[in-house]
Amino acid sequence: MTYTVLIPARLASTRLPNKPLADVAGKPLVVRVAERALQSRAAQVVVAADAPEILAACAAHGVRAVGTRAGHPSGSDRLAEACALLGLDGDDVVVNVQGDEPLIDPALIDAVAALLPAMPAAQMGTAAHAIDSVADFVNPNVVKVATDAQGLALTFSRAPLPWWRDGFASGIHALPQPAPLRHIGIYSYRAAFLRGFPQMPPAPIEQTESLEQLRALWHGHRIAVHMTASAPGAGVDTPEDLARVRAVFARQPQEQRG
C-alpha cells in the first residue's frame, strides 16, 4: 500500500503566534513534524502551507511543501487544495498529520493509513485509545468516540460518552466498562472524498460540538477507527506545550533528534 502524508500548516494562531516556525531543538516545529512523518512508510510527505515563511523554512531543511490559499476556514479545506495541486484523486490514500504533533508515532500513521484498504466501506480513518481517568472523561477538550462491532465510528462527542445511566446517577466518580475511548486527531481519507468534503454542507451537530468529523457521519459516510494502546506524544497548542516538547527533544541524543 502506498499513501501520502499531508501536513496542514498556517501561520496565524491565537494561542501561539507563528507556531509552525517555533524553534524545537534548532529546527522549526513543522519541520520536526515532517521528520517524524518521514519515518513512516508514506510514499511522500508534503506540508500544505499558507505562508511564504513556512515554504521557505521547509525548503531550508529539505522538506517538500506546497503553497495553499491563506483564507481556508479549516485544515480539511487546505488539504483538499493540496490534493488537487498534487494530482491526488480517487482511492489514493491521504493521511492528515497535524502540523503541531512533533512526537507522533510513525507506526500510528501507518496504522491509520492501512484502515481504508482494509475497510472498503469507510471513506475516512482515525484512531482512539482507552481513557483511564475520570478527569479526561469529563474534560470537553478530550473528544470521545463510540464504535460499532466492525470498528466503525458511531459518533464523536465532547461530552462523557457513553453515558453510564446507573453508575452516574449520583455523579461521575468512576469510568464505565469497557473503557470509554479518546479520539486521536489523526485522519486518513480517500483522496476523492477529501477533495469533495469542503463542499458538503456543515452538519448541525458538527456546529454544536465544533467537531468537523461529524459532518462525514451526518452525510452517511463511515469512519474506521484504529485502536492504539497508548496516547500519542504531546501536541503543541500553547507556550506551555511548546516548552514541554522542547524539553523532550533536549533529553534526546543529538543523533536521535536530528
Side-chain angles (χ1 to χ4, degrees), residues 195-208:
R195 291 177 68 161
F197 184 78
Q199 281 71 56
M200 294 181 191
I205 190 172
E206 166 197 356
Q207 296 173 313
T208 299

Side-chain angles (χ1 to χ4, degrees), residues 204-226:
I205 190 172
E206 166 197 356
Q207 296 173 313
T208 299
E209 291 257 19
S210 293
L211 295 175
E212 193 180 41
Q213 65 269 34
L214 288 169
R215 185 185 314 181
L217 296 182
W218 194 77
H219 284 281
H221 300 286
R222 305 309 305 270
I223 303 175
V225 182
H226 167 72

Side-chain angles (χ1 to χ4, degrees), residues 98-109:
Q98 299 297 325
D100 54 11
E101 298 280 352
L103 302 177
I104 191 165
D105 184 355
L108 178 62
I109 301 174

Side-chain angles (χ1 to χ4, degrees), residues 59-162:
H61 293 279
V63 171
R64 188 178 179 190
V66 294
T68 57
R69 296 190 299 276
H72 285 305
S74 72
S76 297
D77 293 84
R78 190 170 313 288
L79 296 191
E81 182 186 357
C83 277
L85 292 170
L86 296 169
L88 300 173
D89 207 347
D91 284 334
D92 292 341
V93 174
V94 176
V95 178
N96 174 3
V97 173
Q98 299 297 325
D100 54 11
E101 298 280 352
L103 302 177
I104 191 165
D105 184 355
L108 178 62
I109 301 174
D110 290 332
V112 173
L115 286 170
L116 297 183
M119 305 187 78
Q123 295 298 321
M124 292 177 59
T126 192
H129 69 89
I131 293 174
D132 61 7
S133 76
V134 170
D136 281 348
F137 188 53
V138 300
N139 184 347
N141 294 316
V142 174
V143 177
K144 295 84 180 175
V145 58
T147 62
D148 68 10
Q150 285 72 47
L152 296 166
L154 291 169
T155 193
F156 298 82
S157 183
R158 297 183 182 278
L161 180 76

